[in-house]
Amino acid sequence: MPGLPVARVVLDGPLPHLDREFEYAVPTDLADLALPGVRIRARFAGKDTAGFVVARADTAQHTGKLTPLRTVVSDEPVLTPHILRVARQIADHYAGTLSDVLRLAIPPRHARAEKALTSVSAPPLPDLDGSVWQRYDAGPAFLDHLRSGGAPAAVWTAGPDWPDGIAQAAHASLSAGRGVVIVVPDHRDVSRADAALSAALGPGQHVRLTADQGPQARYTAWLKALRGQVKCVVGNRAAAFAPVHDPGLFIWWDDGDDLLVEPRAPYPHVREILRARAADAGAALLSGAVSRSVAVQAWHLPEITSRDPHPVVHIAGDEVERERSGPAATARIPTRAWQLAHDALQHGPVLVQVPRRGYLPALRCADCGTRATCERCQGPLALAGPDGPAVCRWCGARGAHCRECGSTALRATVVGARRTAEELGRAFPGVPVVQSGAREVLEAVPATPALVIATPGAEPVAAGGYRAALLLDAWALTERPTLDAGEEALRRWLAAAVLVDPAGAVVLCGVSRQLPVHQALVRWAPAAYADRELADRSELGLPPARWMALLRGDDADVRHFAAGLPADWERLATPTQTIVRAPEALDDPAAVLKAVRSRWSAAKSGGPVTVRVEPTAGEL
C-alpha cells in the first residue's frame, strides 16, 4: 500500500483513557508490510509498544507531524476485520478496553510456528450421521437449516450423547461450506468433543485449541484456522475467538459453568463473545446443556428437547418414608438410598455425588455446637483423615479447643467425599469403591458393579450408564449464600442424573424441606425452573433482568469512583465490593460506566478500581 502513508493503530495498553486508535506514518520500507491486521511496534510515551495496524489511509486526522512506525513484527494478518469488530463490541459491552480483549483474542506470536506450518488441504467430509438429532424435537429441522447455510439460534437440552450431537451439528455446517467454533468448559469436555469430532468428521477437519497446549502448539492450531486449513475449532474459552473462515455455527456447552467466564479483564462470558460473533457473521448459534441457565433463558430462544426417557428421581425422607422407616428415613444416607444402591449393585455401577471433597471439611464443638475455628486466623477447621488432628483450612495450624466452652471434642458438620467412600466401603464389603475428585478425575468407568464416589463436575461416564445415583447432602448446594444457589444445584444434580441409565433411578438425599428446585429435578424440568427464577429476578430487579456492575478496590477509591456515576444510579456497598445498578430506562449503561473509567484513569486521582459488568449470579 505505497499510496497510503498513514497507519491507524491500536496499541497494547490497559489505560481506559487511551482506548482509541492512534495515527503513525508508514516508512517507505514498511509500506508493503504494514497492512491491516499485522503486528507492529511503535513509539509511545517514550517506549516501544506492541500493537496492530487496523487501517491504512491517505491522509491523517492529526494536524501535527506523525511519528513513524518502528517495525512490522510479522506480515501475518492476525487481526481479521471480523475479530476486530467483535472485540470492539465486547470491550464496549463490558466497559473494558479494546487492547484487553485483543489480548484474549489473539495468542502471542510464535515465530517458529509461523515458519513451520505448511499448507495442507483437508480431505473430503464423510457422509453425515444425524442419528443423535433424530431423537430431539426440532433436531432434524435444525440440522437441515445448518446444511442449507442458514443461521438458526436455539437452546438445546441435551443428553449424555452431547459430544456426538455437537459433532453432527458441526458436520452439517461444514457441509454447507461454513466454519464452526465449539467452546466447552474444561479439558475433559474438550477431550470428549474432540474424540466425537474425529469420528464424525474424519482426520484433518478440525483442530483442538486450548490455553494449556503450550505456546507453539496453541499458535499452530490458531494459525491453521486463520489460514483456512481447517474450518472447525474445538476448545475451552481460549477458542472463543478462533479465526475460522466464513463462520456459520457457534456452539458452547454448559452455560452455567463458571469456567466459561474469563478471569482476566474485561471478564467476558463465552456466551456474549459467541453471540456477538454470530450476529456479526450471520451465523447459527447453539447453547447446549443438560440444565438451563437463567441468562440463556432470558434470551427466549427456540428450544430443542429430547424425547428420550429419563431415570426416575426420588426425594428421600418424604412422609410415607418417615412413617415406614422412622428416623432412618432422614439419615444422611436414608433407607431408600441404601436399598436402591444394594439392588443396583447387582447389575452395574452406582454413582454417589458428594458436594464436598476431603474427609471432614467442617467441624463443630461436640458439647455446645459452636463452629470450630482456628485460634490463630479464625479459619474453618477440618480433619484430613481418620487419625489426624484438626487442621485449619486457611493457615494449616493444628489443634483446637472451643472458644465458647473450652472443650476439645469435635463432631462433623459436613462429611466429605473421602469419608463417604470409607463409610460406603464398610457398608458394602467386597464392592470396589472408586473415587473421582480434585486429586484425580476419572474419564470413565466400566459397566461392572462398583461404587463411584465423585464430587460435582468430576463424575466419570459409565459404560452403558449407571444403574443408580445417590445425590447426597442436597442442603449443601441449595443453602449456599449466592443468588444462583438453586440454579447451580439443579445443574450439578442433572449433570449426575443424566449419566444414569433410563431404567435406573436417582435418589436425592439431605432435603430438609422441599423447594421448587427439588421438584424441578423430579420433573426433569430445568427450563421451567429457569423461567421461574427469571421471573423472580425480574420482579426484584436482579441480573440478568437488570444491568449491574461490581466495583472492587480500596474502599476509599471505590467510593470516590462511584461518586462519579450519575446520581440516579443505585449503590450498594458490601464488605468486599460495591454493587451499582443503572436505571432501568437507560439504554447503554456500560457506555456511561466506561466514560467514568476513562475520566478516573486520566485524572490519576486514586488507585486501581476493578470493574466487572454483568457479574455472575454466584458473585452476588
Side-chain angles (χ1 to χ4, degrees):
M1 291 185 175
L4 301 173
V6 177
R8 295 199 177 100
V9 172
V10 292
L11 297 174
D12 184 7
L15 297 177
H17 69 286
L18 298 177
D19 185 28
R20 59 184 177 86
E21 296 177 3
F22 294 89
E23 292 179 322
Y24 285 84
V26 180
T28 304
D29 59 332
L30 299 181
D32 293 328
L33 297 175
L35 304 178
V38 303
R39 304 176 199 257
I40 53 89
R41 296 194 73 83
R43 201 72 175 167
F44 186 82
K47 296 186 296 184
D48 277 0
T49 304
F52 301 92
V53 175
V54 296
R56 291 279 294 273
D58 55 355
T59 58
Q61 297 177 351
H62 180 66
T63 56
K65 183 180 179 180
L66 297 182
T67 303
L69 294 175
R70 299 282 285 190
T71 186
V72 172
V73 176
S74 167
D75 61 357
E76 193 85 44
V78 292
L79 179 56
T80 66
H82 166 68
I83 295 299
L84 176 60
R85 291 191 299 270
V86 171
R88 286 189 189 279
Q89 184 175 338
I90 293 300
D92 291 342
H93 183 90
Y94 287 98
T97 64
L98 177 61
S99 64
D100 279 343
V101 180
L102 292 181
R103 204 174 297 122
L104 303 176
I106 302 174
R109 179 180 181 244
H110 197 286
R112 191 178 304 143
E114 285 186 353
K115 295 175 182 177
L117 184 60
T118 57
S119 178
V120 178
S121 298
L125 282 169
D127 293 336
L128 172 63
D129 172 17
S131 57
V132 169
W133 290 93
Q134 299 298 323
R135 305 201 307 274
Y136 290 87
D137 290 330
F142 183 78
L143 280 196
D144 290 343
H145 209 167
L146 292 178
R147 274 193 293 256
S148 66
V155 56
W156 171 39
T157 305
D161 55 357
W162 62 265
D164 295 323
I166 284 178
Q168 292 173 15
H171 188 295
S173 185
L174 291 171
S175 65
R178 305 199 67 184
V180 182
V181 174
I182 303 161
V183 182
V184 296
D186 60 32
H187 70 279
R188 294 173 64 224
D189 297 324
V190 172
S191 295
R192 294 185 64 192
D194 183 37
L197 288 166
S198 296
L201 307 181
Q205 293 287 354
H206 80 283
V207 291
R208 177 174 177 156
L209 180 60
T210 61
D212 59 357
Q213 284 177 298
Q216 183 168 356
R218 179 186 178 188
Y219 195 58
T220 297
W222 192 84
L223 280 178
K224 285 183 177 181
L226 179 69
R227 295 181 182 179
Q229 295 185 15
V230 295
K231 298 190 72 172
C232 179
V233 175
V234 62
N236 55 19
R237 62 176 182 267
F241 282 102
V244 296
H245 287 203
D246 188 19
L249 175 61
F250 294 97
I251 305 174
W252 74 104
W253 174 253
D254 201 5
D255 184 83
D257 196 312
D258 58 10
L259 290 176
L260 295 179
V261 181
E262 177 59 52
R264 295 173 291 174
Y267 317 105
H269 194 292
V270 162
R271 90 170 76 88
E272 295 297 339
I273 297 173
L274 298 190
R275 179 164 72 162
R277 293 194 65 181
D280 184 82
L285 195 64
L286 181 63
S287 173
V290 298
S291 187
R292 181 73 54 81
S293 74
V294 178
V296 167
Q297 189 70 11
W299 291 0
H300 302 294
L301 296 176
E303 298 187 19
I304 301 175
T305 55
S306 174
R307 294 189 294 267
D308 290 346
H310 300 298
V312 175
V313 179
H314 304 283
I315 297 180
D318 57 22
E319 292 184 7
V320 174
E321 191 174 355
R322 286 199 298 269
E323 291 178 2
R324 181 183 304 156
S325 304
T330 56
R332 181 170 183 256
I333 305 179
T335 304
R336 176 180 288 184
W338 286 114
Q339 189 60 51
L340 176 66
H342 178 273
D343 295 344
L345 284 169
Q346 311 304 311
H347 309 286
V350 172
L351 175 64
V352 182
Q353 185 193 71
V354 184
R356 305 287 180 86
R357 63 179 183 268
Y359 193 75
L360 296 178
L363 302 168
R364 289 188 182 276
C365 174
D367 294 330
C368 70
T370 302
R371 180 171 172 265
T373 57
C374 174
E375 297 176 20
R376 178 192 299 174
C377 70
Q378 303 305 309
L381 295 181
L383 286 180
D387 302 319
V391 177
C392 176
R393 285 162 49 192
W394 291 359
C395 70
R398 298 188 172 195
H401 69 269
C402 179
R403 65 177 183 272
E404 297 294 332
C405 69
S407 172
T408 58
L410 300 172
R411 62 180 174 85
T413 300
V414 176
V415 178
R418 285 183 54 215
R419 175 62 178 265
T420 302
E422 184 180 283
E423 292 175 351
L424 290 174
R426 290 197 297 264
F428 293 96
V431 177
V433 178
V434 179
Q435 295 187 60
S436 180
R439 294 183 179 178
E440 183 181 6
V441 178
L442 303 178
E443 296 289 338
V445 293
T448 54
L451 285 162
V452 181
I453 318 298
T455 50
E459 301 91 349
V461 177
Y466 290 98
R467 306 308 301 173
L470 312 182
L471 310 179
L472 303 186
D473 303 332
W475 60 268
L477 294 178
T478 56
E479 295 180 8
R480 291 167 58 241
T482 59
L483 181 61
D484 68 340
E487 176 187 350
E488 180 67 5
L490 184 59
R491 185 180 77 86
R492 295 186 177 194
W493 293 334
L494 286 174
V498 78
L499 301 177
V500 178
D501 184 274
V506 177
V507 178
L508 182 66
C509 310
V511 176
S512 56
R513 60 186 181 91
Q514 289 201 23
L515 301 171
V517 67
H518 301 135
Q519 289 304 312
L521 176 64
V522 171
R523 301 196 315 270
W524 213 281
Y529 182 76
D531 240 353
R532 180 191 180 106
E533 282 284 294
L534 181 60
D536 288 346
R537 295 187 197 178
S538 298
E539 185 176 349
L540 297 171
L542 295 172
R546 284 284 296 277
W547 187 94
M548 283 187 175
L550 298 183
L551 309 180
R552 291 174 176 158
D554 180 80
D555 189 52
D557 289 332
V558 170
R559 286 200 305 270
H560 189 191
F561 182 98
L565 293 167
D568 57 351
W569 283 44
E570 299 175 65
R571 299 159 176 82
L572 174 63
T574 73
T576 59
Q577 61 196 13
T578 293
I579 303 171
V580 294
R581 181 165 63 178
E584 194 167 6
L586 187 61
D587 289 336
D588 193 359
V592 176
L593 186 56
K594 189 169 184 175
V596 174
R597 286 195 71 200
S598 295
R599 291 195 296 269
W600 177 265
S601 172
K604 299 180 181 178
S605 57
V609 174
T610 299
V611 175
R612 297 200 66 155
V613 169
E614 295 179 353
T616 63
E619 296 177 286
L620 297 175

